[in-house]
Amino acid sequence: MLTNDELAKWDRENFLHPSTHLGQFARGEAPQRIVTGGEGVFITDRDGNRLLDGFAGLYCVNVGYGRKEIAEAIADQARELSYYHAYAGHGAEANITLAKMVMDRAPDHMARVYFGLGGSDANETNIKLVWYYNNILGRPEKKKIISRWRGYHGSGLMTGSLTGLELFHRKFDLPLAQVIHTEAPYYYRRPDLSLSEADFTAHCVERLEALIAAEGAGTIAAFIGEPVLGTGGIVPPPAGYWPAIRKVLDRHDILLIADEVVTGFGRLGAMFGSDHFGMRPDLITCAKGLTSAYAPLSASIVGQRMWEVLVEGTDEHGVLGHGWTYSAHPIGAAAGIANLKLIDELGLVRNAGETGAYLVASMREAVGAHAHVGEVRGEGMLCAVELVAERENRRFFEPAEGKGAKVVAAMLKRGVITRAMPQGDIIGFAPPLCLSRAEADQIVAVTRDAIAEVLG
Ligand code: PMP
């Protein structure tokens, strides 16, 4: 077996890591962790640490680590049929069964599901379907996509453009021209502190209306949004936001894509965030929680009105020119089936709602009154603590001070993994949906101690 030092050296000399400071990593100046195992909400590493994973990997290991049922389903599938493609009407028992299971759980007006590999490619599929839809309807100029600042939709060319975070655009020549951004529904960072939540929803609606008027509704195809902003800060929408946005989109014949890569399959305490917030989307994007990341698999769920136009399109123009080699991969599908069964059997959607609410309430009680905590917020098994220099006038710390990252590092020292969200001093929590109250207590106690250490 390789020694830790040998592995670490190979890692630095060969591996180009995603979302990593490349120079610092190659020079051995950046953190490096070699993960060896996982059980429940804990992971272990080569240095002998056992860490509570308060972010479920990247909000994806929803059923927790080490589930034998999923591992066995994957092994059985690999032995029986490791792969066959899904082009030209080919299927396998696993992907056909999973399609039925997804559609049984999806909102009522959804019609079909396409399977890909991850959240970025599923959004890419959805944008292509939107463009195809408008071409079939004979309105080729209706193509722009509205996304929100602070939205996260992936890091491909189109999806990185949709993502409303500067880090993902800078030096990549993004966003592409077809993408336009509107205000983030982020009540704590509202432009005018005197706005009530309802006023702020009205403000977001006005901003959207103004953007549509400026660009022309005839040029705009779709609006994409996460039910709860995720990577942009873990921000639940202000009251009435989604029904109000949906109304505007209906008036201008603009489709709605619900990006449920984080929220799909239970994280908000409901099977889908679309139902939880009354979004009535035309397309839904899923990934992460579909397999709890035991294997890569994503889903683009297509609503009835889009489906009818897609059928019309292929009747007129032939085969749909879209697909990946690994679309509906049988091993991913086998993992998905076992995962969705476990979510049901263990009552994880209910637990996400109940233990999630307990986590947020306990967090608020423990740190909500701290002089440098501006807000504690959450929805289901998502929680965020936003740090501020001064509470009263909502003055933020200078980014260069890295206060959020320092708190996250202090938590790691105490055995809990969390994430400093990329824009602002926001500590994000998205534990596995099987989190217990005792584990929630551990997260809260460690957060309180780390904030005290860094901020007094
Ligand atoms: N959409 C959302 C809401 C996400 O959070 C993510 C990933 N964090 C993606 C899309 C992209 O998914 P992936 O990284 O699997 O491509």
Side-chain angles (χ1 to χ4, degrees), residues 293-372:
Y294 278 75
L297 194 76
S298 65
S300 297
I301 310 178
V302 177
Q304 187 62 31
R305 87 163 148 157
M306 290 224 44
W307 168 248
E308 286 166 14
V309 174
L310 299 183
V311 170
E312 195 184 312
T314 57
D315 283 346
E316 277 173 32
H317 301 282
V319 171
L320 186 74
H322 180 76
W324 328 127
T325 301
Y326 295 148
S327 289
H329 198 293
I331 289 179
I337 294 168
N339 172 62
L340 294 188
K341 281 188 185 157
L342 266 181
I343 289 174
D344 288 350
E345 283 163 22
L346 300 172
L348 294 185
V349 179
R350 202 190 60 232
N351 192 59
E354 291 174 3
T355 306
Y358 173 79
L359 172 67
V360 176
S362 313
M363 191 68 81
R364 200 167 274 137
E365 200 179 307
V367 304
H370 190 282
H372 293 297

Side-chain angles (χ1 to χ4, degrees), residues 129-173:
L129 294 183
V130 164
W131 285 351
Y132 186 86
Y133 170 90
N134 276 334
N135 286 334
I136 296 305
L137 291 179
R139 41 195 204 187
E141 67 296 337
K142 201 168 167 63
K143 292 289 162 55
K144 289 177 198 159
I145 312 291
I146 302 178
S147 168
R148 285 100 46 91
W149 292 117
R150 288 185 175 268
Y152 189 87
H153 302 293
S155 64
L157 293 175
M158 172 47 85
T159 55
S161 299
L162 297 172
T163 290
L165 294 166
E166 215 240 324
L167 175 68
F168 292 83
H169 297 164
R170 200 190 307 148
K171 301 288 178 205
F172 285 112
D173 296 352

